[in-house]
Amino acid sequence: MKELTYTVAAREALDEEMARDPRIFVMGEGIGKRGGNFNTTLGLYEKYGPLRLCDTPIAERGFIGLAVGAAMSGSIPVIDFMMVDFILDAMGEIINQMAKMQYMSSGRLRMPMVLRGCIGIGGAAATHHSGSYYSIFSNIPGLRVIVPTTPADVKGMFRTALRGNDPVIMLEHKNLLSNKGLVPDEDYTTPFGQARIARAGKHVTAVGVALTVQKCVQAAEVLAKQGIEVEVIDPRSTSPLDIATILQSVKKTGRLMIVDDAFEPCGFGAEVSAQVGAHGFDDLDAPIRRLSGAFAPTPYSPPLEQEIVPSVETITKALYDLVKE
Amino acid sequence: MEKDTGLLLYRNMLLIRMSEERLAQSRQAGLVHGACHTYVGEEAVATGVCAHLNQDDMVFSTHRGHGHALAKGVSPFEVMAELYGRETGCSHGRGGSMHLFKPEVGLMGTSGIVGPCILQAAGAGYTFKLLGKPNVAVAFFGDGASNNGAFHEGVNLAAIYKLPVLFVCENNLYATEVPSSYSSGNPDIYQRAIGYGIPGVKVDGNDAWEMFLAAGEAVRRARAGEGPTLIEAKTYRTRAHSEGMRDVGYRTQEEVESWKARDPIKMLRDRLLRDHTADEDDIDNVHNEVTARVTDDHQRAADSPWPKGSDALSHVYFEGA
């Protein structure tokens, strides 16, 4: 095991897989010589050259559409999109083309490709650099949507994505990028659709996504001092979703809160809630609660910005209230 | 013109024409369940281009894609069976008129969305360059797509990476029913190539031989690593946008008749006979052969089994080799 940051762990996965498989190439703005806005490809241009570390014009629809054609024809494109907000221009290519191509070709075309980049509110990035659209992507058949939270998971899941045949959207919360964690030395992969118990507990289940997993763990540490044991679950992928692990936890705790930064209506929390309501109703001792980002664009000024996402304090209070309910 | 080449072009155009006319009848007979966008009048374009392609070269097409599929080597049987919704169709009944797939012969898909084929062809070009393959990718699209952002982004990307791609714009003068003279600042689409630093060629898209020559040069350039070419084929669809749609109110009967007089199949026939490349017997033989083929393929398609409803959820994700 060695200690790596989230960014370095992801980069190691990319580097090792590129060395292993010459079909992999990366496209994005400033990912060539510059090494990526978030150092996602630092040092790889020197190793693999301009065809495999391909800088692009600011044309997200164009290069994502190009990557779709590249995957259809036998290569493995990685789109390094920087901010998820930027690929909204490519939603037609993502939903109508990338996601549907295996189905429309009756499984004769494979679609091994990864769109990866940042999500999340924080750092006064304002509304065009703060999106978290995993709920929207998870609504689309044909896509895999992963939200790794630890350095070990981002490495293992990125590897799984690069060795698979389905299109994957890998969303990396920008406030997790410099987090450090232990990463195994061996060649390992982390499967999609298997949740991780980020902290074991017995009084209430908290399901987070990306940064809110970390916030839930911090809230659990506060509540532990008051004798409340929170079980924090990190689904790691929102599509496929490991509902079994969540149901198992609810069976034990009888209480469920879903905490996520994204918009609440028709969102991730609603999905988890509906599935637990359908399959775990008898295990519930209290209504399912959700704590989500505000239903509003993301403001710039720090006092405004912090108002619209769940904080450790609001999560702590909400979990406490739920346990007392 | 070599006799073989001339008759190949003639045969392939006729195969498209007769298949389309058969499909139009089948739609009236209720065998086609959804849309049916025919390629009648534009046969010379796909035929002239695809005559230069190998099986592992790739074609990315539009909603008006039956002709591209047939020219790339999908059989009339598989195209018809697909429109008839049968398991034996080239997309196993998942696609219909607008979603024809046969990657085994390099038909990488027709599409119900205007524009993405331009980007996907650039992507296949990228694969060929990345993996050092000698292939070319072709995007067929209409004048309508040329006013979509995908055209700008895709052609520019192919230009800056010097990808082995042909961008073949079939300018049939109408985006569905909106005239390109109305929707384009400059309706000469080939001139846009200057803006991307690549060759732009204007071709009489009803002249199969001219198409064949222009595409030959573009394919040669692509295979030689010289980058993409934009070909604007001036052509015309003589049937309605989609079978069963009203075909009035946006163009005149005189205009339609003037283009019918320049029927690409008739034009090639006249050239073959005039130049003594082929004689009447050769032409008749092709007619007999194609007629028998289309009749037989239609019958087999109409007699084909339906897909099983239980297969509707397969292939959403990869299911193993």
Side-chain angles (χ1 to χ4, degrees):
Chain A
M1 300 277 261
K2 60 189 168 189
E3 190 173 66
L4 299 176
T5 65
Y6 188 99
T7 296
V8 173
R11 193 169 66 224
E12 275 196 2
L14 181 60
D15 187 3
E16 290 165 14
E17 292 307 305
M18 287 186 78
R20 211 177 61 85
D21 192 337
R23 297 172 301 169
I24 300 173
F25 70 99
V26 187
M27 292 193 118
E29 291 144 14
I31 58 86
K33 264 185 198 160
R34 185 187 173 211
N37 191 54
F38 296 110
N39 295 332
T40 45
T41 54
L42 198 66
L44 301 187
Y45 181 88
E46 290 71 18
K47 231 167 146 173
Y48 300 109
L51 250 184
R52 300 188 68 196
L53 273 301
C54 176
D55 273 323
T56 64
I58 303 172
E60 276 75 10
R61 181 186 175 194
F63 61 74
I64 289 175
L66 184 153
V68 168
M72 291 166 74
S73 54
S75 47
I76 305 176
V78 175
I79 296 294
D80 187 329
F81 57 67
M82 226 182 308
M83 299 292 185
V84 73
D85 312 81
F86 304 163
I87 63 170
L88 300 184
D89 276 9
M91 282 305 251
E93 307 310 319
I94 293 170
I95 295 175
N96 268 325
Q97 309 296 330
M98 183 173 89
K100 295 178 180 174
M101 205 56 81
Q102 293 195 90
Y103 187 85
M104 295 312 298
S105 68
S106 328
R108 286 168 294 171
L109 293 175
R110 299 175 189 189
M111 291 302 290
M113 60 186 291
V114 183
L115 311 186
R116 60 88 59 109
C118 284
I119 57 167
I121 296 167
T127 202
H128 289 161
H129 291 63
S130 300
S132 296
Y133 296 109
Y134 42 80
S135 292
I136 294 174
F137 295 124
S138 302
N139 191 241
I140 307 301
L143 301 181
R144 304 289 191 196
V145 185
I146 64 174
V147 274
T149 60
T150 69
D153 282 350
V154 78
K155 184 166 183 182
M157 295 181 88
F158 200 0
R159 269 213 191 103
T160 300
L162 291 167
R163 293 181 189 181
N165 287 293
D166 292 324
V168 177
I169 300 182
M170 182 167 96
L171 302 171
E172 306 158 81
H173 197 293
K174 59 193 176 200
N175 288 4
L176 294 172
L177 300 183
S178 53
N179 279 8
K180 288 182 178 166
L182 289 174
V183 176
D185 296 317
E186 70 267 20
D187 179 357
Y188 71 99
T189 57
T190 308
F192 301 164
Q194 278 188 23
R196 174 179 72 97
I197 311 279
R199 183 189 166 99
K202 59 186 178 193
H203 296 124
V204 59
T205 301
V207 178
V209 181
L211 186 64
T212 58
V213 173
Q214 180 176 304
K215 287 179 175 176
C216 286
V217 169
Q218 289 165 343
E221 283 159 6
V222 174
L223 290 166
K225 291 174 192 142
Q226 302 167 44
I228 296 171
E229 295 296 337
V230 182
E231 180 141 294
V232 181
I233 294 178
D234 174 4
R236 301 198 281 197
S237 58
T238 56
S239 178
L241 174 64
D242 176 9
I243 199 68
T245 297
I246 296 169
L247 283 166
Q248 214 166 17
S249 177
V250 171
K251 200 176 182 73
K252 183 167 61 173
T253 65
R255 287 173 161 77
L256 172 64
M257 172 164 295
I258 305 112
V259 187
D260 89 307
D261 281 347
F263 309 127
E264 196 167 83
C266 304
F268 173 76
E271 176 60 28
V272 173
S273 176
Q275 290 205 42
V276 172
H279 307 295
F281 186 74
D282 291 340
D283 296 322
L284 289 165
D285 298 324
I288 298 168
R289 299 293 182 198
R290 288 181 290 168
L291 202 54
S292 303
F295 192 53
T298 306
Y300 162 75
S301 175
L304 297 174
E305 185 190 63
Q306 67 203 28
E307 194 62 29
I308 67 157
V309 278
S311 64
V312 175
E313 291 71 30
T314 57
I315 296 167
T316 306
K317 181 171 184 312
L319 285 169
Y320 180 87
D321 291 346
L322 178 54
V323 170
K324 296 299 170 195
E325 209 167 310
Chain B
M1 197 190 318
E2 303 272 334
K3 182 174 179 179
D4 285 355
T5 308
L7 286 178
L8 175 84
L9 295 174
Y10 191 78
R11 178 184 297 109
N12 289 350
M13 285 204 291
L14 197 63
L15 192 73
I16 296 170
R17 173 69 56 87
M18 296 187 88
S19 297
E20 293 288 40
E21 288 177 342
R22 179 67 249 183
L23 281 168
Q25 289 169 25
S26 291
R27 193 187 173 281
Q28 284 203 324
L31 277 167
V32 176
H33 309 278
C36 184
H37 303 120
T38 75
Y39 196 62
V40 172
E42 306 183 17
E43 294 91 345
V45 185
T47 302
V49 173
C50 291
H52 296 282
L53 303 182
N54 304 316
Q55 193 154 304
D56 52 0
D57 294 321
M58 295 183 182
V59 162
F60 297 81
S61 162
T62 67
H63 58 288
R64 195 172 304 290
H66 307 168
H68 308 134
L70 293 164
K72 192 64 177 68
V74 185
S75 70
F77 167 66
E78 290 167 295
V79 172
M80 292 182 194
E82 185 56 35
L83 272 88
Y84 301 168
R86 306 309 166 100
E87 177 60 31
T88 50
C90 62
S91 306
H92 302 287
R94 280 151 197 270
S97 174
M98 289 184 284
H99 307 279
L100 306 173
F101 281 84
K102 185 140 194 200
E104 299 91 330
V105 299
L107 193 266
M108 306 304 286
T110 63
S111 177
I113 306 290
V114 167
C117 64
I118 298 172
L119 305 173
Q120 289 164 14
Y126 204 91
T127 291
F128 300 149
K129 186 158 182 169
L130 178 76
L131 303 181
K133 293 185 175 178
N135 298 110
V136 299
V138 179
F140 288 105
F141 54 94
D143 48 291
S146 74
N147 289 326
N148 183 278
F151 174 87
H152 168 62
E153 296 192 17
V155 176
N156 187 52
L157 286 165
I160 65 171
Y161 302 137
K162 270 199 154 190
L163 302 178
V165 183
L166 270 66
F167 296 107
V168 181
C169 178
E170 298 168 333
N171 186 348
N172 66 13
L173 304 184
Y174 298 92
T176 307
E177 293 168 355
V178 177
S180 61
S181 58
Y182 163 87
S183 56
S184 307
N186 173 1
D188 275 328
I189 291 155
Y190 76 97
Q191 290 181 358
R192 298 185 196 179
I194 296 166
Y196 304 107
I198 64 168
V201 188
K202 178 169 78 169
V203 187
D204 178 351
N206 281 31
D207 186 325
W209 183 240
E210 293 299 318
M211 273 311 305
F212 179 78
L213 293 178
E217 169 58 11
V219 169
R220 186 205 61 73
R221 286 190 76 247
R223 292 204 206 279
E226 293 169 27
T229 302
L230 173 62
I231 295 175
E232 180 186 5
K234 304 273 191 187
T235 186
Y236 199 80
R237 92 178 133 65
T238 48
R239 298 186 71 96
H241 164 72
S242 187
E243 288 304 302
M245 262 176 79
R246 283 172 71 246
D247 194 37
V248 293
Y250 69 101
R251 60 183 188 180
T252 63
Q253 198 54 42
E254 292 74 44
E255 183 182 282
V256 177
E257 292 306 325
S258 74
W259 281 92
K260 279 184 176 169
R262 300 194 69 254
D263 184 299
I265 295 175
K266 182 176 172 296
M267 280 170 67
L268 182 61
R269 181 179 188 277
D270 291 348
R271 186 196 282 261
L272 290 171
L273 295 176
R274 188 182 65 226
D275 297 351
H276 304 290
T277 311
D279 58 28
E280 297 273 4
D281 283 349
D282 296 323
I283 302 276
D284 287 347
N285 287 340
V286 172
H287 269 266
N288 294 338
E289 177 203 327
V290 171
T291 304
R293 174 90 193 270
V294 170
T295 306
D296 183 56
D297 279 21
H298 154 72
Q299 201 52 53
R300 284 198 298 136
D303 292 343
S304 284
W306 296 98
K308 290 200 297 280
S310 56
D311 287 341
L313 295 186
S314 57
H315 304 302
V316 177
Y317 294 97
F318 179 68
E319 292 172 359

